[in-house]
Amino acid sequence: MTTPAASRPDYDLPKSSAAFARASKVIPGGVNSPARAFGAVGGEPPFMAKAEGAYLYDVDGHRYVDYIGSWGPMIVGHVHPKVKAAVSEALALGSSFGAPTEREAEIAEAVAAAVPSIEMCRFVSSGTEATMSAIRLARGYTGRDKIVKMAGCYHGHADCLLIQAGSAATTLGVPDSPGVTPGAAADTLLAPFNDADAVETLLKANPGQVAAVLLEPIAGNMGLVPPAPGYLQALRDLTREHGALLIFDEVMTGFRVAYGGAQERFGVTPDITALGKVIGGGLPAAAYGASREIMTKVSPVGPIYQAGTLSGNPLAMAAGLATLELLREPGAYDRLEALAVRLADGLESAAREAGVPHVVQRVGSMVTLFFHDGPVRNYEDAKGSDTSLFARFFWEMLARGVYLPCSQFEAAFVSLAHTEADVDHTVAAAREALAAATA
Ligand SMILES: *Cc1c(COP(=O)(O)O)cnc(C)c1O
């Protein structure tokens, strides 16, 4: 794939390119998380020097309107003065103790007050840990082994969750990665997103064996795919009927689509919830939580083991608490919603004028412009998108100072730091970018 950046004399990344070459010698692919390497759009990524508010600044001197927000956490914008002050204050008192602190109870109280399914929660350091621990808890609590996951939902990189859909793999998980053993995959059953009948079939075919049905209540990792009306409630009813737990992975949607997450927005309460991203306010923190009855099965009160050297880290708890406080200010979610509607409407009209196949999907401040004819309801639909048009569009946007997620299968995030002017600049850039990408 050609790198459109290289074809634009006004958008050049010499320092980033040198940094990438250096990093690639000592870090696989030059990055510490694969998406950052731009594999889905070709070319080399700009290296970042700093961020502030709604903007990223690369080492080559370009400024970008940022729609990845560190892939979700930065909902109040980068280096918000209140978050910065909270973290600085905490740092001055010690960055890690390996002993309990008062702030951990404070944020756990805030989470329990916010999230309908949570009475108690346990903090960990990444979304991967949160979902992995939630699965262990569900298995330990029910005494059952199997889990149902939806194709195209991402839950971090725990072995048993690194399984998506092979076309023939609707009932038997096939590992997505070398290093995941068939044994780890064998207890993972797959269903398409937005298909409650498929889940019912799996539950009936594995009577008394399914510990949990796990999903992103709003899929964000195949591009933004909302749950169809009634889908979440149908899963709630089915899991109850079959004695399985319902787990919402709200690592992306928690405190994002509403203060209480997708479960508040859609009025369906799971048994266990995984949180991450926003809850750490840009520092490494995540959590899993449930009723007191379920959570008291976790060590040291109960027998289900889970631990972490940096869990509940003081700096991360301070950043998370400050972020949650900002999100509780009146009008925060209305503002996010209004900005995201403005962005979605603008992208829709730009794509319509350009005459490209498209659909814009949005829930709250999460938005995806799919180059796809008609709605995207599941992973199969998403994979039918024009990814090469997306790659050209992505680079044309980058060259115009707009940093979108570098894959068709990701959601863009709007933050409280974005302004109407940022959104309007983005939409104007999209008009030009689509013209250039289809020329
Ligand atoms: C990002 C994400 C994860 C993984 O979180 P990490 O902090 O990257 O380990 C899990 N589930 C969902 C829905 C996510 O979006």
Side-chain angles (χ1 to χ4, degrees):
M1 196 179 300
T2 56
T3 304
S7 67
R8 290 180 61 98
D10 55 333
Y11 183 64
D12 210 9
L13 299 165
K15 288 186 183 165
S16 291
S17 190
F20 190 56
R22 176 186 177 188
S24 297
K25 289 195 180 121
V26 284
I27 304 171
V31 292
N32 281 309
S33 197
R36 299 177 199 167
F38 279 22
V41 291
E44 296 180 355
F47 271 52
M48 293 306 160
K50 66 166 188 170
E52 193 175 14
Y55 306 115
L56 295 174
Y57 298 81
D58 74 18
V59 294
D60 290 292
H62 304 104
R63 186 187 87 163
Y64 307 92
V65 182
D66 176 24
Y67 289 101
I68 66 167
S70 186
W71 301 94
M74 312 312 302
I75 195 167
V76 300
H78 295 279
V79 209
H80 189 287
K82 288 191 173 160
V83 177
K84 185 180 172 185
V87 173
S88 309
E89 243 168 73
L91 174 59
L93 298 172
S95 60
S96 189
F97 307 114
T101 58
E102 291 174 317
R103 232 189 241 105
E104 291 162 72
E106 195 181 339
I107 193 165
E109 285 165 3
V111 170
V115 184
S117 63
I118 296 183
E119 287 177 339
M120 299 180 88
C121 62
R122 171 59 68 73
F123 275 82
V124 292
S125 298
S126 70
T128 294
E129 274 181 274
T131 55
M132 181 187 79
S133 308
I135 297 281
R136 184 181 304 138
L137 176 58
R139 286 173 165 161
Y141 181 79
T142 58
R144 300 173 173 191
D145 291 344
K146 293 186 177 165
I147 54 169
V148 175
K149 91 171 272 292
M150 312 308 159
C153 281
Y154 177 67
H155 303 292
H157 60 88
D159 279 359
C160 69
L161 298 174
L162 262 194
I163 292 140
Q164 301 184 324
S167 49
T170 42
T171 58
L172 194 64
V174 175
D176 249 4
S177 164
V180 176
T181 64
D187 287 327
T188 304
L189 310 171
L190 279 165
F193 192 74
N194 272 332
D195 185 348
D197 290 344
V199 173
E200 180 168 26
T201 303
L202 291 172
L203 288 167
K204 284 186 170 155
N206 298 272
Q209 298 171 65
V210 174
V213 172
L214 163 71
L215 77 161
E216 302 176 64
I218 300 161
N221 286 290
M222 51 177 121
L224 192 281
V225 180
Y231 174 59
L232 298 176
Q233 186 60 50
L235 296 182
R236 179 64 286 184
D237 296 342
L238 282 168
T239 45
R240 283 230 170 89
E241 184 185 331
H242 291 268
L245 300 184
L246 181 61
I247 305 178
F248 280 2
D249 178 352
E250 297 227 43
V251 169
M252 188 182 283
T253 54
F255 299 101
R256 162 65 65 181
V257 297
Y259 190 64
Q263 55 198 273
E264 175 192 316
R265 195 166 175 124
F266 290 105
V268 176
T269 305
D271 299 294
I272 305 179
T273 299
L275 296 166
K277 298 194 169 125
V278 170
I279 206 175
L283 272 80
Y288 64 104
S291 63
R292 184 163 284 105
E293 138 93 5
I294 294 177
M295 286 308 287
T296 47
K297 302 294 184 284
V298 175
S299 181
V301 198
I304 300 169
Y305 194 72
Q306 182 270 309
T309 300
L310 292 174
S311 293
N313 175 264
L315 306 190
M317 297 299 93
L321 269 170
T323 298
L324 297 195
E325 214 166 281
L326 290 163
L327 290 172
R328 283 197 301 273
E329 285 180 2
Y333 287 91
D334 293 341
R335 164 133 191 97
L336 287 167
E337 191 91 18
L339 283 166
V341 167
R342 192 181 184 100
L343 176 66
D345 289 353
L347 292 175
E348 151 67 35
S349 67
R352 186 163 12 91
E353 284 160 27
V356 295
H358 68 279
V359 60
V360 178
Q361 302 195 163
R362 180 192 70 82
V363 179
S365 53
M366 300 164 61
V367 181
T368 298
L369 162 60
F370 285 102
F371 293 120
H372 182 271
D373 221 348
V376 172
R377 293 150 305 182
N378 54 38
Y379 194 39
E380 279 308 303
D381 288 349
K383 285 192 291 188
S385 303
D386 185 344
T387 51
S388 78
L389 173 57
F390 178 84
R392 295 194 300 279
F393 173 67
F394 169 82
W395 274 107
E396 294 293 344
M397 291 297 275
L398 206 58
R400 288 172 176 78
V402 179
Y403 200 99
L404 294 172
C406 50
S407 160
Q408 173 73 93
F409 309 116
E410 301 283 358
F413 299 105
V414 175
S415 79
L416 288 170
H418 286 90
T419 63
E420 280 78 2
D422 291 325
V423 171
D424 295 347
H425 164 75
T426 302
V427 172
R431 285 212 165 78
E432 289 180 17
L434 282 165
T438 53

